[in-house]
Amino acid sequence: MKQLRARRAAWGLAFLLWQLGPAAQAMDPITVGFALASAAASALTGIISYPKVYCYFAECCADRPVALVREELKKNFDKRLFGQHLVSQVVVKAVGGFLSNPNPKKPLALSLHGWTGSGKNFVSKMIAESIYEEGLRSRYVHQFVSTLHFPHQQNVGQYKDQLQTWIRGNVSACGRSIFIFDEMDKMPAKLIDSIKPFLDHYEEINGVSYRRAIFVFLSNAGAEKITEVALDYWKRGKNREELPLSIMQETLSTSVFNNKNSGFWHSSLIDRNVIDYFIPFFPLEITHVKMCIKAELKSRGYPVDDYMVTQIAEEMTYFPKEERLYSDKGCKTVHTKLDFYYDI
């Protein structure tokens, strides 16, 4: 982030010096400082006239090359997302295909489901960072956490108005806005239906087009059903990688639609098929937990000690009780485990 701001500041200074011309080279630093101040106002007008130049040192609502988005997503998923073959396949293709379409018929809507620690927040973060360099800190990326922003069922009417106003205002400012809804399973029932018009196949609503926006929903709802299907495959001697997306999408959409605690209970978003992909995050096995530990060690600059990795992984808890096949916290507590073992 500091490098990004430094680069933008450098470009801003370079642009102002360019505005001053060759005479600036003969000035002493103090004179240049006064000259820069006097040139700033006129240069700003010039910058506005050159949006591509301006966007080098200030964040813009502008598209990054689709090839770069795909490359960044794939690279991050390969390095840091483990045990989620369907997620890697679907998200890269869905996001890349959507961004490459100059005239999408509707916004992109992704619903991510699975146990805590399986990678949902990581994937939403990577989607944001692949499109905007500042990621979740970008002014064009908006994150809602149900327990923080929508804590009271009795205020659903007020929340609906606020949510519609917020989305309308931000998409008006930037068509390529990203909206992330975390803890969907804790969202008051029927609240999410208020944004259904923004996700549907409308060219415009009151003069605003929402078709270039991206909506991402994160939920623990459906995790039991994902585990049930994955465990059944394991008991039949099949690999989880053999599970097709079509089966999991149908299973998930039905499960969350009929679950009163899903945030999507009898939701028009599902009934009207405006969610493009229901993406399952499988529970992580011990081999995947070890991969998380190794990745965290490398990110901290520590040597990878296989004995230590195994010891940490085996200390974590797993389910079902007899098989001890899946980590009940995924990779969520890996960093705290390493803090304990590598306390210096």
Side-chain angles (χ1 to χ4, degrees):
M1 190 61 63
K2 290 181 179 178
Q3 291 177 345
L4 177 62
R5 293 194 180 107
R7 190 189 74 181
R8 288 175 172 168
W11 273 101
L13 178 60
F15 186 84
L16 289 174
L17 287 172
W18 175 73
Q19 289 280 308
L20 289 172
Q25 298 175 4
M27 298 181 186
D28 61 82
I30 296 177
T31 306
V32 169
F34 282 116
L36 285 174
S38 63
S42 59
L44 181 60
T45 303
I47 292 171
I48 294 171
S49 302
Y50 297 94
K52 288 186 178 180
V53 175
Y54 172 77
C55 293
Y56 274 111
F57 57 93
E59 187 181 39
C60 290
C61 175
D63 295 329
R64 297 180 77 183
V66 178
L68 182 60
V69 173
R70 284 198 183 101
E71 180 184 348
E72 189 163 329
L73 280 174
K74 192 173 186 311
K75 178 185 69 176
N76 281 304
F77 290 171
D78 288 345
K79 289 175 62 177
R80 299 188 61 190
L81 184 68
F82 309 112
Q84 308 298 352
H85 66 289
L86 288 179
V87 177
S88 300
Q89 294 171 15
V90 175
V91 172
V92 173
K93 289 183 178 180
V95 173
F98 178 72
L99 295 178
S100 64
N101 185 351
N103 187 30
K105 301 302 180 185
K106 63 178 292 299
L108 177 64
L110 308 175
S111 192
L112 316 183
H113 297 264
W115 294 111
T116 183
S118 57
K120 301 186 301 295
N121 287 100
F122 171 75
V123 168
S124 64
K125 178 175 179 286
M126 288 303 103
I127 291 173
E129 289 181 353
S130 70
I131 297 172
Y132 291 109
E133 287 186 83
E134 297 201 19
L136 297 178
R137 294 187 180 90
S138 169
R139 70 181 72 181
Y140 307 120
V141 177
H142 315 282
Q143 191 170 29
F144 301 92
V145 180
S146 294
T147 52
L148 175 64
H149 296 100
F150 318 115
H152 305 298
Q153 177 70 48
Q154 64 269 27
N155 295 337
V156 167
Q158 176 185 347
Y159 296 151
K160 286 182 178 181
D161 292 339
Q162 291 174 342
L163 193 51
Q164 287 182 340
T165 300
W166 184 253
I167 292 176
R168 185 183 303 114
N170 282 289
V171 175
S172 298
C174 175
R176 187 67 81 199
S177 291
I178 301 174
F179 300 94
I180 300 171
F181 293 84
D182 198 2
E183 298 184 345
M184 277 296 301
D185 48 303
K186 297 178 177 65
M187 179 175 282
K190 296 299 181 181
L191 171 57
I192 201 62
D193 282 2
S194 65
I195 72 169
K196 181 259 173 187
F198 305 138
L199 293 173
D200 218 330
H201 297 71
Y202 296 114
E203 287 197 17
E204 289 185 352
I205 300 176
N206 294 330
V208 179
S209 174
Y210 297 86
R211 294 183 297 168
R212 297 178 67 247
I214 297 176
F215 293 79
V216 183
F217 306 97
L218 281 60
S219 179
N220 290 348
E224 295 90 348
K225 183 60 68 174
I226 295 169
T227 302
E228 180 184 316
V229 175
L231 189 58
D232 178 64
Y233 256 58
W234 178 79
K235 288 179 178 178
R236 289 192 280 156
K238 294 186 176 183
N239 294 323
R240 61 201 284 162
E241 287 76 18
E242 297 177 41
L243 272 165
L245 177 64
S246 56
I247 290 178
M248 296 308 303
Q249 285 225 106
E250 183 178 353
T251 299
L252 274 176
S253 62
T254 302
S255 175
V256 299
F257 184 77
N258 294 312
N259 185 344
K260 288 186 177 181
N261 297 316
S262 72
F264 286 117
W265 181 62
H266 290 183
S267 171
S268 61
L269 271 65
I270 297 177
D271 194 39
R272 292 294 301 272
N273 299 308
V274 297
I275 295 180
D276 300 293
Y277 297 95
F278 289 89
I279 304 176
F281 283 68
F282 291 102
L284 300 185
E285 299 173 7
I286 191 169
T287 54
H288 307 126
V289 174
K290 288 181 179 180
M291 292 177 183
C292 292
I293 296 170
K294 290 178 180 179
E296 182 66 19
L297 284 171
K298 290 177 182 177
S299 72
R300 298 187 184 197
Y302 296 153
V304 175
D305 182 327
D306 288 334
Y307 173 79
M308 183 69 73
V309 168
T310 299
Q311 185 175 350
I312 295 172
E314 289 181 349
E315 283 186 4
M316 300 176 79
T317 51
Y318 297 85
F319 72 98
K321 188 174 182 179
E322 292 184 3
E323 292 88 348
R324 294 190 78 247
L325 185 61
Y326 304 125
S327 169
D328 63 357
K329 295 183 179 66
C331 287
K332 196 163 189 176
T333 59
V334 163
H335 67 283
T336 55
K337 288 284 186 182
L338 292 183
D339 290 343
F340 176 79
Y341 276 94
Y342 288 84
D343 181 27
I344 300 175

